[in-house]
Amino acid sequence: MLRHVLPLLMLMVSNVFMTYAWYGHLKYLAAKPVALAVLISWGIAFLEYCFQVPANRIGSTVYSLPQLKIIQEVITMTVFAAFSYFVMKERLTMNYLYAALCMVGAVFFIFRGN
């Protein structure tokens, strides 16, 4: 059971770092030089990879590569929606729901077997 859940938890942590590396600079470093934002984002991305690489290594023992990719995308969209709403103060629209429904479909098809 731990081999199934641990990669998911690690991918969630990884995605929090990834989202901050990709978009956090828009809020927290907007007035700073781009080069500084790049360097800070690279540092955050390093932390992302410290969780993402082991998560995929562990996850590949119980999930197929396509399953890992879809899991990653679902987690990415979930973390991004939360980040958009709570950190960036963006309004969540119905398009987020529609995108989530598409992701549910992707999960269904990738996990249903041939």
Side-chain angles (χ1 to χ4, degrees), residues 59-110:
S60 69
T61 66
V62 292
Y63 300 110
S64 70
L65 189 60
Q67 288 171 337
L68 273 173
K69 181 59 181 170
I70 292 301
I71 289 167
Q72 172 68 30
E73 295 303 329
V74 169
I75 291 170
T76 296
M77 286 299 294
T78 303
V79 169
F80 181 76
F83 177 85
S84 294
Y85 183 77
F86 291 110
V87 176
M88 301 301 284
K89 308 299 184 200
E90 294 278 329
R91 204 174 116 255
L92 296 181
T93 66
M94 288 301 292
N95 289 339
Y96 281 91
L97 175 62
Y98 302 144
L101 291 174
C102 289
M103 297 301 276
V104 169
V107 169
F108 170 78
F109 285 112
I110 209 70

Side-chain angles (χ1 to χ4, degrees), residues 7 19 22 27 33 37 42 50 62 103 105:
T19 303
W22 285 19
K27 180 171 185 169
W42 278 350
C50 289
V62 292
M103 297 301 276

